Amino acid sequence: MSDMTFEKMINQMTPAIYESLKQAVSLRKWPDGRRLTEEQTELCLEAVIRYEVENSVPEENRVGYLERRTCGAGATGAGVSPEMAGLARDATRD
């Protein structure tokens, strides 16, 4: 019986394995084309996130990172160009 635990797996994960798991989660497929099950997706995602935390991966390189954009304006919208204001208005329409 293997004594490999999730913790040991994370500690022994190489950057190449991390990238492979990250791609598998993104595509929902293994490199050979087989689809990941829901459980496999969850475990791979957890492993990727844990690797990122343990290895201090910069925030902007982490899975799920969304850049915050303010367009140079505060909460009031001051300084937003008319074009950008129109985009925001269009995004809130039903």
Side-chain angles (χ1 to χ4, degrees), residues 89-94:
R89 186 175 52 255
D90 292 344
T92 59
R93 291 184 182 163
D94 289 309

Side-chain angles (χ1 to χ4, degrees), residues 2-67:
S2 173
D3 62 347
M4 180 63 74
T5 64
F6 194 76
E7 291 294 324
K8 285 184 181 180
M9 183 192 75
I10 299 301
N11 291 333
Q12 295 178 1
M13 191 183 302
T14 65
I17 293 172
Y18 160 73
E19 290 296 334
S20 181
L21 289 176
K22 191 174 171 181
Q23 182 179 25
V25 169
S26 176
L27 300 175
R28 301 289 198 261
K29 292 182 181 179
W30 292 114
D32 66 4
R34 290 178 294 135
R35 296 202 50 82
L36 271 69
T37 66
E38 187 173 326
E39 182 180 15
Q40 290 170 332
T41 302
E42 289 174 14
L43 286 171
C44 288
L45 183 56
E46 184 177 350
V48 165
I49 292 170
R50 292 281 300 277
Y51 177 91
E52 292 173 344
V53 170
E54 297 288 327
N55 292 279
S56 302
V57 173
E59 184 177 328
E60 62 274 7
N61 295 337
R62 293 182 184 176
V63 69
Y65 173 75
L66 296 174
E67 183 177 358

